[in-house]
């Protein structure tokens, strides 16, 4: 028997065929094509092109209805399979002590049994789709799991169950993915935070957490999030960037990289500053990689994400309060405790509160070579923000005393910015010199030169250039037996 497509071609070739015959044949061909698409396409409901000319709107409506029914059936099937998996495996799915490979094996076996017991047969493409989505949901994080596996995606932003955005190569793009409903999204958030002993509910509607690979997570749920729960995941690079990578990307120059290497080995106290998403943690990782391997390093973070490859590293992580509002351990407590741990270096992921006072005191009491990050808009603003955070400690210190502490403790500020084209660059490497009256004087050693403008794609042509000024702390580096090539400071175009 000839196919519907053959009959359509025959009807077109038959000059004696009536218009009704030709329309019926065309409609039949489109319906047949769509039926095949629903059964075998990678994505149900994809657009079906017909070479037979315009299609009756009623046919289009029937096709859309059929595709919608098909998708609804798949969603119903996924829901029933998910419920069956929960019934059979129960608490094993959320047992943090269970081996992940064993759990994955059990889930796939149960999934295979449940799919095999279905009354209505599934096409191969539907079976593969349901298997992948259920596996991602049970073992991973549902519809956002493919983006967490994508190396080009650096951040995943969920603004409600049906609104997902991504950051790719520094730019925001909409993602064709959604959660089934708010309950599905909340279940995913609970899975993330429960694995590290944290919680999110109406009494505690905001939470900072991390994925097992170290990716940074923030979640906000209703009533604070008006349009549905908001989930933000800043992905963790499995292969941390090196100084050579930053030079290749244009974030650093070879000369400034060599200078920062000498500053870290010479045990200068360094503050990495910048706005949200500017790449401070990446730069902090790179600076930490310059630390010699024979030193004891203590890292302090809200959510552990630093990747240090030295052998002697002690990692500390803050802890929120429990259900009774007790047991909280903040960054300041950990900084104070770290002073009793005989550290050669103290690295704080981010200073954002009164811990700034304890960090300054650590830098001023023999713990040279400490590094931390601070949110700010520039080197001068960095000092102003640290001053404000010190005042948050409630010690009622005079402002001049705080500034003298900063001038004595901090040697270098490395400021980083994210440009409009999505690229991230170190824009200032600035020496903190001394007090002159009531003002802390700063001296730029390297500054980003914007004079070259932008190319046709909107990317900056500028680069980090030396100002030609030699920093005063070169003598301090010499005491640590670290020499710096004077040609690094030769002016190169500013």
């Amino acid at each position: 028997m000839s196919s519907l497509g053959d009959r359509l071609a025959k009807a077109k070739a038959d000059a004696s065929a009536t218009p009704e015959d030709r329309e019926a044949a065309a409609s039949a061909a489109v319906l047949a094509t769509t039926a095949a698409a629903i059964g075998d396409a990678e994505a149900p409901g994809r657009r079906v092109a017909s070479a037979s000319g315009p299609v009756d709107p009623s046919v289009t409506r029937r096709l859309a209805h059929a595709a919608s029914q098909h998708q609804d059936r798949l969603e119903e099937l996924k829901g029933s399979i998910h419920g069956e998996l929960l019934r059979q495996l129960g608490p094993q799915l959320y047992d943090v002590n269970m081996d992940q490979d064993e759990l994955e094996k059990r889930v796939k076996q149960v999934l295979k049994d449940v799919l095999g017991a279905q009354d209505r047969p599934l096409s191969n493409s539907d079976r593969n789709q349901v298997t992948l989505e259920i596996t991602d949901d049970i073992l991973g994080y549902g519809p956002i799991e493919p983006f967490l596996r994508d190396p080009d995606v650096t951040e995943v932003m969920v603004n409600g169950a049906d609104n997902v955005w991504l950051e790719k190569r520094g730019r925001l793009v909409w993602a064709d993915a959604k959660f089934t409903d708010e309950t599905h999204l909340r279940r995913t958030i609970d899975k993330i935070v429960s694995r590290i002993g944290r919680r999110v509910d109406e009494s505690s509607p905001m939470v900072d957490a991390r994925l097992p690979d170290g990716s940074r997570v923030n979640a906000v749920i209703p009533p604070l999030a008006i349009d549905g729960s908001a989930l933000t995941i800043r992905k963790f690079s499995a292969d941390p960037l090196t100084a050579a990578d930053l030079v290749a990307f244009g974030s650093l120059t070879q000369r400034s990289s060599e200078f920062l290497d000498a500053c870290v080995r010479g045990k200068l106290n360094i503050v990495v500053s910048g706005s949200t998403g500017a790449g401070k943690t990446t730069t902090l990782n790179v600076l930490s990689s310059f630390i010699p391997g024979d030193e004891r390093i203590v890292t302090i973070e809200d959510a552990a994400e630093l990747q240090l490859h030295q052998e002697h590293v002690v990692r500390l992580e803050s802890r929120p309060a429990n259900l009774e509002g007790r047991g909280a351990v903040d960054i300041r407590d950990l900084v104070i405790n770290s002073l009793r741990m005989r550290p050669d270096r103290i690295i704080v992921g981010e200073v954002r509160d009164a811990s700034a006072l304890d960090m300054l005191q650590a830098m001023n009491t023999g713990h040279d070579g400490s590094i931390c990050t601070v949110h700010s808009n520039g080197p001068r603003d960095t000092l102003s923000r640290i001053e404000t955070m010190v005042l948050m400690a409630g010690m009622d210190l005079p402002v001049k005393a705080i500034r003298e502490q900063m001038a004595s403790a901090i040697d270098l500020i490395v400021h980083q910015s994210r440009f409009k084209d999505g690229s991230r660059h170190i824009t200032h490497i600035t020496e903190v010199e001394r007090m002159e009256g009531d003002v802390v004087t700063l001296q730029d050693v390297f500054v980003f030169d914007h004079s070259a403008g932008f190319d046709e794609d909107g990317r900056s042509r500028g680069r980090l250039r030396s100002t030609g000024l030699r920093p005063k702390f070169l003598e301090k580096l010499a005491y640590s037996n670290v020499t710096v090539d004077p040609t690094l400071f030769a002016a190169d175009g500013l």
Side-chain angles (χ1 to χ4, degrees), residues 312-360:
H312 200 159
V313 179
V314 180
R315 305 170 71 205
L316 305 179
E317 186 177 60
S318 64
R319 185 181 72 182
N322 59 17
L323 288 171
E324 291 78 28
R326 300 175 181 174
V329 179
D330 58 24
I331 294 291
R332 186 176 188 188
D333 296 327
L334 294 177
V335 170
I336 294 173
N337 185 77
S338 70
L339 301 179
R340 307 184 185 103
M341 298 175 66
R342 199 260 176 219
D344 288 311
R345 310 263 185 162
I346 300 174
I347 300 178
V348 181
E350 182 181 342
V351 175
R352 64 177 75 183
D353 52 24
S355 61
L357 175 60
D358 302 290
M359 192 68 196
L360 288 180

Side-chain angles (χ1 to χ4, degrees), residues 31-244:
L31 283 170
T33 306
T34 303
I38 291 175
D40 299 322
E42 292 100 29
R46 71 179 181 183
R47 182 180 298 176
V48 179
S50 173
S52 59
V55 179
D56 191 326
S58 64
V59 175
T60 304
R61 286 195 295 271
R62 289 199 300 273
L63 301 180
H65 180 65
S68 176
Q69 282 187 322
H70 179 75
Q71 187 63 28
D72 289 344
R73 183 199 166 209
L74 289 182
E75 291 297 332
E76 181 181 351
L77 177 62
K78 282 162 49 183
S80 64
I81 294 175
H82 191 278
E84 183 64 20
L85 282 168
L86 290 177
R87 187 186 68 80
Q88 292 195 30
L89 296 178
Q92 297 178 21
L93 296 174
Y94 303 101
D95 184 0
V96 295
N97 297 319
M98 186 170 185
D99 181 70
Q100 189 67 19
D101 292 336
E102 178 64 23
L103 176 60
E104 184 174 346
K105 186 184 300 182
R106 294 190 186 183
V107 167
K108 289 184 176 180
Q109 183 58 48
V110 174
L111 184 57
K112 181 180 178 181
D113 295 342
V114 173
L115 282 174
Q118 292 298 309
D119 296 333
R120 298 173 61 182
L122 290 173
S123 66
N124 287 334
S125 60
D126 284 345
R127 181 181 293 271
N128 293 337
Q129 177 190 343
V130 169
T131 300
L132 179 62
E133 292 182 6
I134 289 291
T135 303
D136 283 346
D137 199 24
I138 292 293
L139 299 175
Y141 304 104
I144 62 173
E145 181 68 23
F147 307 126
L148 297 178
R149 292 193 295 257
D150 187 347
D152 292 333
V153 175
T154 53
E155 197 143 3
V156 179
M157 292 149 278
V158 181
N159 310 327
D162 57 354
N163 191 10
V164 180
W165 291 78
L166 311 173
E167 183 189 73
K168 279 189 171 185
R169 301 179 181 90
R171 300 198 181 261
L172 292 179
V173 295
W174 179 77
D176 185 14
K178 65 178 181 179
F179 290 82
T180 305
D181 50 27
E182 174 68 15
T183 303
H184 186 196
L185 174 55
R186 285 287 297 274
R187 190 167 64 239
T188 301
I189 294 174
D190 288 338
K191 179 189 295 187
I192 293 173
V193 302
S194 64
R195 286 180 174 174
I196 61 168
R198 302 196 177 185
R199 64 186 177 88
V200 58
D201 49 39
E202 289 188 3
S203 63
S204 179
M206 296 186 298
V207 66
D208 286 315
R210 56 181 168 82
L211 300 183
D213 68 354
S215 297
R216 187 188 309 173
V217 178
N218 175 267
V220 185
I221 66 171
L224 299 187
I226 298 173
D227 299 320
S229 299
L231 174 65
T232 309
I233 301 176
R234 182 168 298 169
K235 285 178 58 181
F236 189 75
S237 175
D239 185 18
L241 297 179
T242 64

